Amino acid sequence: MGKARLLVLPLLLAALLLTTAWTGQVAIVGPGQEGVSGDFEIFTWWTAGGEADGLNALLEVFQERYPDVNIINATVAGGAGMNARAVLKTRMLGGNPPDTFQVHGGQELIASYVVTGYMEPITFLWEEEGWLDVFPQDLIDMVSYEGEIYSVPANVHRSNVLWYNKAIFEEYGLEPPETWDDFFEICDVVEADGITCLSLGDVGIWATVHLFESVLVSELGAEGYQALWNGELDWTSDEVKGAFELLYQILQHVNEDHGALSWDQAVQLVVDGEAAMNLMGDWAEGYFTSVGWTPNVEYGWVPSPGTAGTFIVVTDTFGLPLGAPNRDAAIAFLRVLGSVEGQDAFNPLKGSIPARVDTDRSLYDEYLQSSMDDFAVDTLVPSLAHGSAAPESFGADFGTVMSVFVATGDVDLVSSAAQQICVANGICQ
Amino acid sequence: MARSRAARSRIERIVPILMITPSVIAIAVFVYGFIGWTVYVSMTNWRGLAPSFQFVGLETYNQLFVGIFDLGRFRTDLVNNVFFTILFLGTCIVVGLLLAILLDQGIRGEGIFRTIYLFPMALSFVVTGVVWRWLFAPSSGINILPTLIGLEPLNFQWYIDNTKILTFYWPGLAPILVGLGMIVALGIGISLWSNQARRKYVPIPALAFLAGLIWFLAGGPQNSPNVPIPEEHGFHPALIAVVIAASWQLSGYTMAMYLAGLRGIPEELREAARVDGASEWQVYRHVVLPLLRPITLSAMIVLGHISLKIFDLVFTMAGDANMPTDMPGIYMFRSTFVGSEFARGAAIAVVMLIMVAVVIVPYLVYSTRREAEL
């Protein structure tokens, strides 16, 4: 008898395994017919500071309008979103998408998720809400594919901003640089006193790619830069090689320990007066604010040298995954996200400008207002370092190329490698 | 009565099988099934989030070993990993053995020291990585220690140092593999020769060795796949920082193993040696250390597979794109989850699996044989 009972145990175990496998399938309850209710899962990498505050403010607006929805705020911390994207990919591949998720506009959205058939077009939503007139056309193009729109931009960051320490610039009687030649002259002045000219924190290499995209725009112009991404300009061309050479000269004026610092530690060097300038996206403004600095008092900014009139866009967007468990709630959330109220709840706290151009200016600080002015008139181009300009597979390999370049400075080698990657990704011929 | 006994014995036979069936199935699916799946994916052209299973054979491996699309990053990783493994194992074994011998001298407060040395092992590699990242930060860490006593700060860039020493060129994989195979064949041949009973098997490794020799003489290296441009590799001193951090964490583990081994050596053996007139050094050299050999072997196996698969420590210490300290594990993560290059990620994973298997499988065979003999 005792032994016979033992038979039951493995059977029970097997049954247990089976049921746990099953419950994962049936746990999701469909949305109610009337109104919007049920669980709504939003997936981001906004876990701390102003980003998390902004997200919470946005979700509060959403909750007020749709009180029956149970919001599940699924964030994954770390690595400027790299860890979150890894988790997201496994979920999408496994057929378990969240209801909506954060994704940079441009190729990170289009190449990774739209072309591969993971997203549902939401052009109908844009038409119903009348958004086509209030978002800039360049931005709409970044989230569109073959005539359909696939996501709603939540915010806009500018990549090509040069930040400078006003005290240092006043002390030496310097003007912020308009060209890279101006920049090198400033370097000669401040370096004579042992001040680092440009601070850089490129652990994980993306900050150097970030610097390089500004250099590319200054060397090629907005049109030439765009030509790189539609395959009309080769990476082995003299213009691009010139950009690599310029980058190498600039790298001679950065702090020696750049490989060991993160971007915020590099900004801190400017705050400490150890470095005169820093080239970083305007999320750096949030860092200046967090250490108590006031725009245009302690720190100033200009478009990075040679890029005035061009606005390199980094935009976080949210779309509708095909097979979202609670599609109604996701659409309701996207409506809130694209509304003036939603954009103005999120962006002042996040430290970014709204993606639509008809919001309440008075909510934003001096820097953000100046950025909004530029955003309205400048040529908008996608960012390379933040996944908008080229597919992720290009970006990942290009990071390797950039690491090798920082170590060797071999222009011919890296431009031919970049060309190979470009061909492998189907951008170049 | 007889029938019930027969039934009972049948149950006795079936129950153990049923008991292990769930775990056998689980392991077959979730370990070996997925290994097979990874091997399969590595031979497809799957890149991007849409799965694609067009069979391309060994093309991805070819790209990794002799292609130039990633500027030889994978080859750099392999070289780094070999250097790292050698240094890391060496440091852990020497430091661990020294600590164990010192603790074995019957000092007071041994328990406290043992805990102190063993404690780093309780930390996660991630924590170790972050802490040592700060300690080795070139402009704020260990480098400024000398300034406390009025000296110049050190100038070594630690984990971001870009220099390379002991440089050599990547000559393609085939000559390396064939050369290694010949060395192994030679070793096996010699060990077979020294054993009277097995001397009859010597022709097998001898033939293998001869085949390799003929391949070399017939110009095999010139005709095997090679990188299009000569590619310089070498030892990155930046790895020293990683080796220090990793050994700081795991030397305590080898110490614990050696200490247990030392405790297991009967005092009579040492006494006998001393009676025979051996000095204390000779006691260790000829009695203690030979008896510790199995422990060294298992320590090398355990640490070896950690170091071949190392990821988290380097990732948190130096980031995922720092070529001087890059490792195959990091490249695999970056390819798969940043670049969505699933075929390439799978190929790197398979190479890593083979590397670990080369270390583990002979050990498993050896220890099962020993168990069978005992």
Side-chain angles (χ1 to χ4, degrees), chain B residues 29-89:
Chain B
V29 173
F30 293 107
V31 178
Y32 296 98
F34 286 170
I35 288 176
W37 174 248
T38 306
V39 173
Y40 174 64
V41 168
S42 76
M43 295 187 185
T44 67
N45 66 347
W46 183 6
R47 55 202 312 242
L49 273 180
S52 135
F53 298 113
Q54 195 190 326
F55 188 79
V56 295
L58 297 175
E59 177 54 30
T60 311
Y61 295 91
N62 190 38
Q63 283 284 315
L64 286 174
F65 281 107
V66 294
I68 57 162
F69 70 98
D70 61 353
L71 294 172
R73 177 170 182 170
F74 181 67
R75 302 183 283 271
T76 309
D77 293 350
L78 286 183
V79 173
N80 280 348
N81 198 233
V82 168
F83 278 118
F84 171 75
T85 302
I86 294 169
L87 287 177
F88 167 62
L89 288 188

Side-chain angles (χ1 to χ4, degrees), chain B residues 104-288:
Chain B
D104 195 40
Q105 304 305 314
I107 51 161
R108 191 179 294 181
E110 190 206 306
I112 296 173
F113 285 110
R114 213 168 44 204
T115 315
I116 289 176
Y117 294 141
L118 206 52
F119 191 66
M121 214 178 90
L123 296 176
S124 136
F125 258 143
V126 174
V127 178
T128 317
V130 173
V131 170
W132 284 94
R133 179 184 163 189
W134 292 333
L135 287 175
F136 282 137
S139 52
S140 58
I142 285 173
N143 276 4
I144 58 169
L145 273 186
T147 60
L148 292 179
I149 50 167
L151 298 173
E152 284 289 297
L154 298 174
N155 202 25
F156 184 48
Q157 296 285 302
W158 294 106
Y159 51 87
I160 57 167
D161 187 89
N162 258 328
T163 55
K164 234 184 295 192
I165 55 174
L166 306 172
T167 52
F168 61 92
Y169 288 95
W170 184 266
L173 188 69
I176 298 180
L177 285 184
V178 175
L180 278 179
M182 285 169 66
I183 293 172
V184 171
L186 200 66
I188 294 176
I190 290 171
S191 75
L192 289 177
W193 186 258
S194 61
N195 185 334
Q196 283 290 345
R198 294 182 179 161
R199 202 171 272 185
K200 59 178 181 288
Y201 296 117
V202 166
I204 300 172
L207 271 179
F209 184 83
L210 210 63
L213 203 63
I214 291 169
W215 184 80
F216 267 103
L217 293 176
Q222 287 79 28
N223 298 325
S224 62
N226 202 348
V227 283
I229 35 175
E231 190 177 270
E232 201 179 52
H233 289 274
F235 171 64
H236 291 100
L239 284 173
I240 293 171
V242 187
V243 169
I244 292 176
S247 333
W248 174 81
Q249 173 141 25
L250 285 170
S251 289
Y253 167 72
T254 45
M255 178 211 70
M257 287 181 74
Y258 278 126
L259 200 55
L262 286 169
R263 294 288 146 81
I265 296 173
E267 192 56 32
E268 291 82 34
L269 284 179
R270 303 187 195 207
E271 283 303 321
R274 288 189 192 113
V275 168
D276 285 346
S279 69
E280 205 54 24
W281 163 248
Q282 283 171 321
V283 171
Y284 273 100
R285 172 73 187 77
H286 296 291
V287 177
V288 175

Side-chain angles (χ1 to χ4, degrees), chain A residues 165-392:
Chain A
N165 181 319
K166 288 205 100 159
I168 293 178
F169 271 60
E170 272 158 31
E171 190 185 337
Y172 293 93
L174 300 167
E175 286 294 313
E178 284 178 14
T179 65
W180 286 107
D181 287 336
D182 296 349
F183 171 86
F184 291 124
E185 279 170 26
I186 293 171
C187 288
D188 291 342
V189 176
V190 296
E191 280 169 0
D193 276 358
I195 297 172
T196 302
C197 189
L198 183 74
S199 68
L200 174 66
D202 69 346
V203 69
I205 210 64
W206 66 264
T208 302
V209 182
H210 184 107
L211 170 61
F212 184 58
E213 72 188 17
S214 280
V215 173
L216 272 178
V217 169
S218 78
E219 283 292 285
L220 309 176
E223 270 181 35
Y225 179 78
Q226 293 280 34
L228 269 183
W229 308 122
N230 51 33
E232 289 163 15
L233 185 63
D234 279 348
W235 285 84
T236 44
S237 63
D238 289 342
E239 295 97 313
V240 177
K241 283 186 179 175
F244 273 116
E245 269 154 24
L246 179 56
L247 175 69
Y248 195 68
Q249 286 171 28
I250 296 165
L251 289 176
Q252 307 312 309
H253 298 280
V254 303
N255 43 308
E256 203 181 1
D257 61 347
H258 58 88
L261 303 185
S262 54
W263 70 269
D264 47 318
Q265 289 173 307
V267 176
Q268 181 65 34
L269 290 179
V270 175
V271 173
D272 291 341
E274 287 176 32
M277 296 174 270
N278 179 261
L279 199 162
M280 185 40 63
D282 57 14
W283 44 93
E285 213 235 345
Y287 189 82
F288 285 121
T289 317
S290 74
V291 296
W293 276 26
T294 319
N296 250 335
V297 178
E298 284 98 350
Y299 67 98
W301 63 88
V302 284
S304 64
T307 65
T310 305
F311 193 113
I312 304 182
V313 173
V314 181
T315 176
D316 292 300
T317 74
F318 287 83
L320 181 61
L322 212 58
N326 194 346
R327 185 173 176 272
D328 293 350
I331 290 173
F333 171 77
L334 294 178
R335 282 186 207 279
V336 173
L337 179 69
S339 68
V340 173
E341 200 190 340
Q343 299 256 323
D344 279 347
F346 175 70
N347 283 301
L349 292 170
K350 163 83 165 109
S352 48
I353 64 170
R356 53 190 290 170
V357 291
D358 59 343
T359 55
D360 183 0
R361 277 176 66 91
S362 65
L363 293 168
Y364 298 87
D365 75 8
E366 198 181 341
Y367 165 75
L368 292 173
Q369 289 185 2
S370 86
S371 175
M372 287 160 89
D373 293 340
D374 290 345
F375 182 63
V377 295
D378 281 0
T379 310
L380 308 183
V381 296
S383 157
L384 161 64
H386 303 281
S388 297
E392 289 171 296

Side-chain angles (χ1 to χ4, degrees), chain A residues 1 3-4 6-7 9-10 13-14 17 82-83 85-86 89-90 92-93 112-113 116 118 203-205 256-262 265 392-397 399-401 403-404 406-407 413-414 417 420-421 424-426, chain B residues 8 11-12 14-15 18-19 22 26 46-51 63 68-71 73 133-134 136-140 155 157 159-160 162 229 315 317-323 331 333-342 344:
Chain A
M1 243 344 252
K3 290 238 167 112
L6 278 180
L7 262 172
L9 200 61
L13 266 175
L17 270 174
M82 189 168 72
N83 302 345
R85 284 191 284 264
K89 275 175 197 168
T90 24
M92 298 298 270
L93 272 172
S112 296
Y113 297 108
T116 49
Y118 286 98
V203 69
I205 210 64
E256 203 181 1
D257 61 347
H258 58 88
L261 303 185
S262 54
Q265 289 173 307
E392 289 171 296
S393 47
F394 181 94
D397 282 345
T400 307
V401 168
S403 310
V404 173
V406 170
L413 181 70
V414 296
Q420 278 212 9
I421 299 169
N425 282 285
Chain B
R8 184 171 291 180
I11 288 173
E12 271 171 15
I14 292 172
V15 166
L18 280 178
M19 290 296 275
W46 183 6
R47 55 202 312 242
L49 273 180
Q63 283 284 315
I68 57 162
F69 70 98
D70 61 353
L71 294 172
R73 177 170 182 170
R133 179 184 163 189
W134 292 333
F136 282 137
S139 52
S140 58
N155 202 25
Q157 296 285 302
Y159 51 87
I160 57 167
N162 258 328
I229 35 175
F315 187 84
M317 209 169 149
D320 64 339
N322 187 43
M323 290 311 119
Y331 191 28
F333 174 80
R334 223 183 130 84
S335 300
T336 315
F337 294 110
V338 180
S340 297
E341 300 267 7
F342 290 96
R344 193 197 301 171

Side-chain angles (χ1 to χ4, degrees), chain A residues 29-41 61-71 99 125 129 320 324-336:
Chain A
V29 182
Q33 294 298 312
E34 328 258 314
V36 180
S37 64
D39 288 344
F40 165 72
E41 187 187 15
V61 175
F62 177 56
Q63 188 80 78
E64 266 168 37
R65 284 204 204 167
Y66 302 94
D68 293 341
V69 174
N70 175 33
I71 298 172
D99 292 304
L125 192 61
E129 297 285 325
L320 181 61
N326 194 346
R327 185 173 176 272
D328 293 350
I331 290 173
F333 171 77
L334 294 178
R335 282 186 207 279
V336 173

